Amino acid sequence: MLRNIVLIGSGKLATQLGSSLVKKGFNIRQVFSRTHCNAEELAERLNAYATDRLSEIQLDADLYIIALTDAAIETTIEQMPKVNGIVVHTAGSLAMDMLGSFENYGIFYPFQTFSKEREVDFSEIPILIEANGELVCKKLESFAKAISQTVMVCDSNQRQQIHLAAVFACNFSNHMYVIAESILKKYDISFDVLKPLIKETALKTEFLSPVKAQTGPAIRGDKNVIDKHLSMLGGDEELAELYSKLTQRIEVLGARGKLLDE
Amino acid sequence: MLRNIVLIGSGKLATQLGSSLVKKGFNIRQVFSRTHCNAEELAERLNAYATDRLSEIQLDADLYIIALTDAAIETTIEQMPKVNGIVVHTAGSLAMDMLGSFENYGIFYPFQTFSKEREVDFSEIPILIEANGELVCKKLESFAKAISQTVMVCDSNQRQQIHLAAVFACNFSNHMYVIAESILKKYDISFDVLKPLIKETALKTEFLSPVKAQTGPAIRGDKNVIDKHLSMLGGDEELAELYSKLTQRIEVLGARGKLLDE
C-alpha cells in the first residue's frame, strides 16, 4: 500500500489533494515548492516537512505526486533525484513517457476543475490512472480508490480524448456563460437571473443524455426567434456568426434525431 | 389578490406550475388543452374542471395563464373569449402586445428549463413580469412572489435580452455537452466521467464570475495542447473550426483581463 507521500507543488490541486489524503490517514512526508513560504504554509497544514530544493527531496517515500502546471512539470522531472517510489504527474494532456527516466511511474489525473474559493469532495471526482507496469497500476488504482469512488484505468490516448471532451464540456460551456453575462451587462441586468438556469442545465445531464435534453429555438426550428436574436446581435458580427454556427449544428442534430425516431 | 386561476395548456410548464400553485393554496378553476384527455388528466391532479374548447373557458377567473408553445399562443389568443381577468403568456421571446385585445394583460415568464423527468422548485426560479398597467403589474408581482423568491419586473426588450443570454448559457452550453459526449462515444468512454466536471463548472458561477472562472488551454495560452487538440479534431473540419473560434475568443478575453490587471 502506498502510504508515505511526497507532494510536489503547493497550488490549488496540491492543497486540496493533500488535505483529502491527510483526512484519509495518508502520511504526507514532505511538500516541495520553489517558493519556500508556499511549501512551508502547505507543509504545516499537512503536518509535513517543507523544502524548496528538488535535491532535498526524500528518497524513500512510496509515492511522489507532481501537482504542478503543465509547463513546470517537464523541468521538475529533469531536476528530480532518481527516487525508487512511484512517480506520477497529474496533467490531463501530457504523455506518461516524460516520466520514463524513473523506474516506476504513471499518471494520477483527478478529472475536475479546481478553484481556491471552493473545497471539493474528492470522493466524487473521477481519477484517471495509467502506469508503466501492471503492479504499479494495481498499486495506483487501490491508492486512488481510497479517496475516490470513480477510478478509471485508461491509456494516454483515451485520457487525451477525455481531456479534449472536457475542453468543450467545461471550458467552452463556461465561455457561453461569459457571453451571456456580457449580453446582460449591456442592459444592466444582473447575471444572478441566469444562475438557476445554468445550474439546472448542468444537473439535467445527471439523468438525461444532453442530446435528449436540448431545448431552445434551434432545436424547435423557431426561425422567428433565431432571426430576432441575430438582429439583436447585429452590432457584433463575430458573435452573430457564432450564434449562427451553433444554431446550424443543433438544427442538423435535431433533423438527424427526427430521422432516427421515425 | 389573484386566487382563481384558469390554466391554458397541459405541458411540462403548465403541469409543474399548476402543482406549485395548488400547493401554495391557489385555486385552479379550469385546465384547457386541445387534447381532451390531457386536459382531464392535469385537471384531476389539480382538482379543477377540464375543457378542450376555448369557447367554454370560464369568464370570471382572476388570472388566465397561457402556458403553451410559442407557436400555439397566437392562435389561442385569437380564439379566446374576452375575459375580464388578467391574461398572461409565459413565453420569453414573444412581445406583450399580442395580448392587446384584452383589458388587462401581461407576461409571466418563469425563467427556467423544464423537463418531464424532474420536478423543479418554483421558489428558486426567477419570474419575469411585465404588464399593461401599474395596477396589473402590482397584482402580478405579488402573485409571482407567492411562489418564487426572485421576481423581476422588466420590459419586453430586457426580457428578450435575457432570453438571448439564456440561449448561450443554457442551449449552447448544452450543445457543448453534446459535442463532448460525441467525442467520448468514439472511444467507448462513458459520458459519466464528465458529469462531476459539468456540475462543478456550473456551480462555480454561484460565487465566481464566469470571466474569472475560465480555465483550460485557451486562457493559459497553452499552444501545445491547443495544436494537439486541433490535430485530434482533424477528421471533423467544422468542429476543429469551432474549437479554433472559441479558443481565439477566450484568448482575446484573457489578454484583455491581463491588461486590466496591470
Side-chain angles (χ1 to χ4, degrees):
Chain A
M1 190 61 179
L2 310 173
R3 290 235 75 90
N4 295 304
I5 296 160
V6 171
L7 201 52
I8 296 160
S10 62
K12 288 181 282 189
L13 174 57
T15 302
Q16 299 225 16
L17 182 58
S19 304
S20 274
L21 288 170
V22 167
K23 270 185 211 157
K24 292 282 176 185
F26 289 93
N27 179 20
I28 308 289
R29 286 265 202 94
Q30 194 179 29
V31 173
F32 164 85
S33 167
R34 279 196 197 282
T35 315
H36 192 72
C37 63
N38 290 351
E40 288 233 307
E41 197 188 321
L42 184 55
E44 195 173 323
R45 282 173 62 177
L46 304 177
N47 197 20
Y49 290 101
T51 182
D52 58 356
R53 290 185 197 178
L54 286 167
S55 60
E56 283 180 1
I57 277 184
Q58 297 181 18
L59 299 176
D60 58 344
D62 302 320
L63 180 63
Y64 299 79
I65 303 176
I66 307 177
L68 297 168
T69 59
D70 291 14
I73 289 179
E74 198 158 355
T75 52
T76 302
I77 288 172
E78 282 167 17
Q79 292 166 22
M80 263 180 73
K82 292 299 157 272
V83 296
N84 289 320
I86 300 171
V87 183
V88 294
H89 75 62
T90 54
S93 54
L94 295 182
M96 184 176 65
D97 303 348
M98 63 197 299
L99 292 160
S101 59
F102 298 98
E103 188 104 11
N104 303 301
Y105 58 92
I107 306 288
F108 179 90
Y109 175 34
F111 191 55
Q112 185 52 287
T113 172
F114 296 91
S115 39
K116 276 190 188 144
E117 294 81 356
R118 196 175 150 90
E119 201 175 322
V120 295
D121 178 1
F122 260 88
S123 71
E124 289 182 3
I125 299 178
I127 294 177
L128 311 187
I129 295 291
E130 191 179 349
N132 76 321
E134 241 175 88
L135 185 63
V136 176
C137 189
K138 282 226 153 61
K139 282 183 178 176
L140 277 179
E141 206 181 343
S142 71
F143 169 72
K145 280 183 178 165
I147 56 167
S148 166
Q149 290 162 16
T150 314
V151 177
M152 251 178 92
V153 177
C154 58
D155 62 26
S156 285
N157 181 38
Q158 286 174 315
R159 180 164 42 86
Q160 281 165 0
Q161 295 293 344
I162 292 173
H163 186 239
L164 172 60
V167 169
F168 283 95
C170 166
N171 306 151
F172 290 167
S173 68
N174 184 75
H175 184 62
M176 297 299 132
Y177 308 157
V178 170
I179 293 171
E181 189 179 35
S182 74
I183 291 169
L184 295 182
K185 215 172 229 170
K186 274 191 209 152
Y187 293 84
D188 269 332
I189 302 163
S190 163
F191 184 65
D192 286 351
V193 72
L194 277 176
K195 289 177 181 174
L197 185 63
I198 285 174
K199 191 173 153 188
E200 181 68 17
T201 303
L203 293 182
K204 260 189 191 180
T205 64
E206 288 280 343
F207 63 94
L208 199 61
S209 158
V211 173
K212 299 257 175 201
Q214 189 66 58
T215 56
I219 196 78
R220 286 199 311 269
D222 192 334
K223 297 275 177 222
N224 286 337
V225 171
I226 293 166
D227 289 345
K228 172 106 202 196
H229 283 171
L230 286 173
S231 78
M232 285 162 76
L233 292 170
D236 186 339
E237 249 179 69
E238 198 194 298
L239 194 55
E241 202 190 309
L242 180 62
Y243 183 103
S244 280
K245 278 265 155 60
L246 293 172
T247 294
Q248 279 162 26
R249 290 185 59 92
I250 295 172
E251 284 171 343
V252 168
L253 284 172
R256 261 191 230 148
K258 268 179 210 151
L259 281 173
L260 291 174
D261 283 348
E262 271 164 15
Chain B
M1 192 61 181
L2 310 172
R3 289 235 78 89
N4 296 302
I5 296 160
V6 170
L7 201 53
I8 296 162
S10 62
K12 289 181 280 190
L13 173 58
T15 302
Q16 300 226 16
L17 182 58
S19 304
S20 274
L21 287 171
V22 166
K23 270 184 212 159
K24 291 282 177 183
F26 289 92
N27 179 21
I28 308 289
R29 285 264 203 95
Q30 194 180 29
V31 174
F32 163 85
S33 168
R34 279 198 197 283
T35 314
H36 192 73
C37 63
N38 290 350
E40 289 231 309
E41 195 188 323
L42 183 56
E44 197 174 323
R45 283 174 60 178
L46 304 177
N47 197 22
Y49 290 101
T51 182
D52 59 357
R53 291 186 195 176
L54 286 168
S55 60
E56 282 179 3
I57 277 184
Q58 296 180 18
L59 300 177
D60 58 345
D62 302 320
L63 180 63
Y64 299 80
I65 302 176
I66 307 177
L68 298 168
T69 60
D70 290 13
I73 289 179
E74 198 159 355
T75 53
T76 303
I77 289 171
E78 281 166 15
Q79 291 166 22
M80 263 178 76
K82 293 299 157 270
V83 296
N84 290 319
I86 300 171
V87 182
V88 294
H89 75 61
T90 54
S93 55
L94 296 182
M96 185 176 65
D97 302 348
M98 64 196 300
L99 292 160
S101 58
F102 297 99
E103 189 105 11
N104 302 301
Y105 57 91
I107 305 289
F108 179 89
Y109 175 35
F111 190 55
Q112 186 51 289
T113 172
F114 296 91
S115 41
K116 275 190 188 144
E117 294 82 356
R118 192 175 153 91
E119 200 174 322
V120 294
D121 178 1
F122 259 88
S123 71
E124 288 182 4
I125 299 177
I127 296 177
L128 311 187
I129 294 292
E130 191 181 350
N132 76 321
E134 240 175 89
L135 185 64
V136 177
C137 188
K138 283 228 151 66
K139 282 183 178 176
L140 279 178
E141 206 183 342
S142 71
F143 169 72
K145 280 184 177 164
I147 56 168
S148 165
Q149 289 162 16
T150 314
V151 177
M152 250 179 91
V153 177
C154 58
D155 61 28
S156 285
N157 181 40
Q158 286 174 314
R159 179 164 43 84
Q160 282 164 359
Q161 295 292 345
I162 292 173
H163 185 240
L164 172 60
V167 169
F168 283 95
C170 167
N171 306 150
F172 290 166
S173 67
N174 184 75
H175 184 62
M176 298 298 131
Y177 308 157
V178 169
I179 293 171
E181 189 179 35
S182 74
I183 291 170
L184 296 181
K185 214 172 230 171
K186 274 191 208 153
Y187 293 84
D188 269 332
I189 302 164
S190 163
F191 184 66
D192 286 350
V193 73
L194 277 177
K195 289 178 181 175
L197 185 62
I198 285 174
K199 193 173 153 188
E200 181 67 15
T201 303
L203 293 183
K204 260 190 191 179
T205 63
E206 289 279 344
F207 64 93
L208 199 63
S209 158
V211 173
K212 299 257 174 199
Q214 189 67 57
T215 56
I219 196 79
R220 286 199 309 270
D222 191 334
K223 297 274 175 224
N224 286 337
V225 172
I226 293 167
D227 288 346
K228 172 106 202 198
H229 284 170
L230 286 173
S231 79
M232 285 162 75
L233 292 171
D236 186 338
E237 248 179 70
E238 199 193 298
L239 194 54
E241 201 191 309
L242 180 61
Y243 184 103
S244 281
K245 277 267 155 59
L246 293 173
T247 293
Q248 280 162 25
R249 290 185 59 91
I250 294 172
E251 284 171 342
V252 169
L253 283 174
R256 261 190 230 148
K258 269 180 209 151
L259 282 174
L260 289 175
D261 283 348
E262 275 165 11

